[in-house]
Amino acid sequence: MNNALAQAMIAKRMGLTAVVAATGAGQHGVATASACAKLGLSCTIFMSAADMEKQPSNVDLMTLLGAKVEPTAGNFKDASSESIRVWAGKLGEVYYLAGAAVGPHPCPTMVREFQSVIGRETRRQAAEKWGRTPDAVVACVGSGSNALGIFHEFVGDRTVRLIGVEAAGFGLNSGRHAATLAAGEVGVYHGAMSYLLQDEEGNIICPHSIGVGLEYPGVAPELSFLKESGRMEFYSATDKEAVDAYIRVARLEGIIPALEASHGFAYLEKLCPTLPDGAKIVVSCSGRGDKDATTVSKYLSL
């Protein structure tokens, strides 16, 4: 909502009356539809038909808020392509409201800046609770908006470990994952250079994750840079590990995290035993998990 409302205000300031956006899990779609309803902008959300089937509650919410939800083939990357295509054809009429920190400049920078309130709030709350910064900040990584939102505030604090957790799907050697930074190569996609899941000819490899919001074959250019500079650490969690974490957090904390965020929680099983007693860790719980209850139930019944 931080990002969606800020960009919708920019669209309004520019005199545009229509907004297009793409969504995977539907959370950016709901936020965009809400912001457009508040500001009186027409709203069209592109979402793959497969994701619409997996996230019916978010589709219902977007429709309730007055947005037109357009189905596409494929997954989130294809919905993104379609929204950019519509925007490029009507630049004088339509505003493309990016939710992922990818695409042509200045989209990644705007998304990072508007989401960075998350990191600023984390610093303030850590100071109030512990009197210092965290020892580590953990976030799931899909396209990168959630991770950059909380990491950006701490990039200059070398004492704070920044840990991104990608979707390993069925395993990094399975060919069915979305671990772009772990297994990708540098390329250009959607107007930006970053790490990509691609074959030897440069064709995009379709990503997979049980958390559909992580199914993007690229990643934020800034995260690619931070990987190469060594400032950030990147690991991965499988579908099974994410589902186990989803259930564990629900039962231990009374919080139902999104499957995307559950990848971050999953890595705690490996991280915590390596840390000294009293270490302070913050995990970005980037979304609610009621939308994923049916997906988890079907997964467990397999």
Side-chain angles (χ1 to χ4, degrees):
M1 182 57 75
N2 306 313
N3 170 63
L5 186 58
Q7 289 203 58
M9 291 171 67
I10 290 175
K12 190 85 169 180
R13 178 68 176 267
M14 292 172 66
L16 302 176
T17 58
V19 165
V20 295
T23 194
Q27 296 188 131
H28 175 61
V30 172
T32 300
S34 299
C36 288
K38 176 67 176 177
L39 297 176
L41 300 167
S42 71
C43 181
T44 301
I45 306 292
F46 291 94
M47 187 175 188
S48 78
D51 289 345
M52 290 176 69
E53 184 177 344
K54 294 175 185 176
Q55 309 288 338
S57 62
N58 279 340
V59 174
D60 289 343
L61 287 174
M62 287 184 274
T63 303
L64 175 65
L65 290 161
K68 181 179 182 182
V69 184
E70 291 280 5
T72 70
N75 55 23
F76 174 56
K77 69 178 177 62
D78 303 287
S80 296
S81 295
E82 190 59 33
S83 61
I84 292 173
R85 187 176 295 114
V86 170
W87 169 54
K90 299 181 179 180
L91 290 174
E93 306 169 34
V94 173
Y95 183 91
Y96 169 57
L97 205 157
V102 294
H105 179 74
C107 294
T109 302
M110 286 197 297
V111 172
R112 183 205 68 198
E113 283 301 305
F114 296 144
Q115 295 287 45
S116 64
V117 63
I118 303 168
R120 293 195 298 273
E121 289 182 352
T122 299
R123 179 186 289 278
R124 176 178 57 79
Q125 292 181 27
E128 292 174 354
K129 187 175 182 64
W130 303 320
R132 64 181 181 87
T133 56
D135 295 293
V137 177
V138 180
C140 65
V141 174
S143 59
S145 58
N146 151 68
L148 281 174
I150 195 167
F151 288 169
H152 183 63
E153 175 70 16
F154 299 101
V155 168
D157 291 304
R158 293 285 174 170
T159 59
V160 181
R161 292 175 62 186
L162 304 179
I163 300 173
V165 185
E166 296 186 294
F170 289 95
L172 294 182
N173 296 323
S174 69
R176 299 188 63 191
H177 61 78
T180 307
L181 290 164
E185 300 290 339
V186 175
V188 176
Y189 190 60
H190 285 158
M193 179 179 286
S194 69
Y195 279 85
L196 299 175
L197 296 177
Q198 56 188 332
D199 62 21
E200 294 179 355
E201 283 74 42
N203 297 310
I204 295 298
I205 297 173
C206 188
H208 162 78
S209 172
I210 194 169
V212 296
L214 303 181
E215 287 186 322
Y216 187 75
V219 69
E222 187 168 345
L223 289 183
S224 296
F225 168 76
L226 291 172
K227 172 192 173 176
E228 293 193 341
S229 69
R231 178 62 186 94
M232 298 171 67
E233 307 169 39
F234 293 95
Y235 304 96
S236 60
T238 64
D239 287 352
K240 182 181 185 306
E241 289 170 332
V243 170
D244 289 346
Y246 176 93
I247 296 170
R248 186 183 309 115
V249 174
R251 292 179 177 174
L252 293 180
E253 299 292 341
I255 295 171
I256 305 174
L259 278 172
E260 293 80 11
S262 296
H263 286 72
F265 285 111
Y267 186 67
L268 294 181
E269 293 295 292
K270 298 175 182 176
L271 174 65
C272 290
T274 69
L275 299 175
D277 290 344
K280 307 301 183 185
I281 310 169
V282 173
V283 181
S284 176
C285 187
S286 55
R288 70 186 201 285
D290 55 294
K291 67 180 181 60
D292 297 316
T294 300
T295 299
V296 171
S297 294
K298 288 181 179 179
Y299 179 87
L300 295 174
S301 67
L302 293 177

